[in-house]
Amino acid sequence: MEAIEELAVQPCTSSLYLRPFRLSYRQNGTKKFWDFMRTHDSVSILIFNTSRQCFVVVKQFRPAVYMCEVERHHPQVFQNQDKESFPSLENPLPAEVGVTYELCAGIVDKPGLSLEEIACEEVLEECGYRVSIADLRRITSYRSGVGVTGSRQTLFYAEVNDQMRTSGGGGQPEEGEMIEVVEIPLGESMKFAYDETFPKTMGVIFSFMWFHSNIAPKLPKK
């Protein structure tokens, strides 16, 4: 996963996933504008394996996270963003600085499927567990990237067991996905959530807190 080579930054003139726009408007009599990006909404799933009392999350390389770290260490990389060429990354950072821990998730880009159906597909593809819509509990939905995209993510909860696992997961290689499935023991989950040495999304932190408030108190006492 982390054997990243031949890094090169270049302008993005078109994309299947991102569309940049500028909105001009008047607010309380003041003329303003705001640059934003249109992208897909998404679903995410907090998965808890009851057989081993652990959370199932995913780990993957995120180029955007990696380049944030590159810019922090080498700010000159983006100094010519309005030009055709960018400096080459001759001494790239270790790829591990761009690897994050996340909930199983996916974009909403299949008009014929419900959010629940997309969530079930993602659980199977990324983590290898076969769940049904009946296995899902909708937690809530929220806006992410409110300053840039404003997209909506819907969060579900699913309990699985070892018998429901049909594959190793890992995503769809034909789509370029390289996903590692990681288990976080329940007893270590809140320590993990606040440990900054493990880069993670806010969805992981929020969902672990939700679990400890809503599900953990109902678990059988050992």
Side-chain angles (χ1 to χ4, degrees):
M1 178 197 298
E2 298 174 18
I4 307 298
E5 301 173 308
E6 300 181 8
L7 292 159
V9 180
Q10 57 191 5
C12 179
T13 57
S14 64
S15 171
L16 295 174
Y17 306 103
L18 303 173
R19 291 175 292 150
F21 295 93
R22 172 168 292 181
L23 177 70
S24 60
Y25 60 101
R26 189 177 297 276
Q27 183 177 16
N28 292 344
T30 301
K31 187 69 174 178
K32 304 172 72 173
F33 71 88
W34 193 269
D35 297 335
F36 67 99
M37 199 81 71
R38 286 299 302 125
T39 186
H40 293 286
D41 290 339
S42 60
V43 297
S44 60
I45 309 95
L46 172 64
I47 304 171
F48 183 68
N49 184 313
T50 58
S51 298
R52 291 195 297 284
Q53 297 288 290
C54 66
F55 295 106
V56 181
V57 300
V58 297
K59 180 182 176 184
Q60 56 187 317
F61 176 78
R62 290 297 196 180
V65 174
Y66 180 82
M67 291 310 296
C68 282
E69 289 299 306
V70 168
E71 184 177 20
R72 188 164 68 88
H73 289 83
H74 306 289
Q76 72 277 7
V77 169
F78 289 105
Q79 288 177 353
N80 296 326
Q81 66 258 33
D82 295 326
K83 299 182 180 180
E84 289 295 324
S85 62
F86 290 78
S88 60
L89 304 179
E90 296 180 356
N91 297 300
L93 298 175
E96 63 186 23
V97 303
V99 174
T100 60
Y101 293 83
E102 311 168 15
L103 296 179
C104 172
I107 60 175
V108 178
D109 62 348
K110 300 173 182 176
L113 298 183
S114 67
L115 296 179
E116 289 79 7
E117 289 171 321
I118 293 174
C120 290
E121 283 191 353
E122 294 298 336
V123 173
L124 181 60
E125 292 172 4
E126 293 192 358
C127 300
Y129 292 92
R130 188 175 298 280
V131 299
S132 67
I133 291 177
D135 296 320
L136 296 177
R137 171 177 173 179
R138 181 171 176 149
I139 299 176
T140 190
S141 65
Y142 44 83
R143 297 289 181 175
S144 58
V146 293
V148 180
T149 68
S151 60
R152 181 190 298 273
Q153 183 166 90
T154 302
L155 174 63
F156 294 96
Y157 170 65
E159 290 186 357
V160 300
N161 56 51
D162 289 344
Q163 287 68 45
M164 296 167 67
R165 194 166 194 186
T166 61
S167 73
Q172 296 182 301
E174 65 273 16
E175 295 184 3
E177 292 183 327
M178 295 183 184
I179 296 172
E180 179 182 343
V181 181
V182 180
E183 295 183 345
I184 310 296
L186 175 59
E188 301 173 14
S189 57
M190 291 313 298
K191 179 181 178 181
F192 171 84
Y194 288 105
D195 188 340
E196 295 183 18
T197 63
F198 295 101
K200 66 189 72 67
T201 63
M202 189 62 204
V204 172
I205 300 173
F206 169 76
S207 62
F208 281 14
M209 293 175 65
W210 175 87
F211 182 96
H212 280 274
S213 296
N214 295 274
I215 304 299
K218 303 174 185 177
L219 293 176
K221 303 296 182 180
K222 293 185 177 180

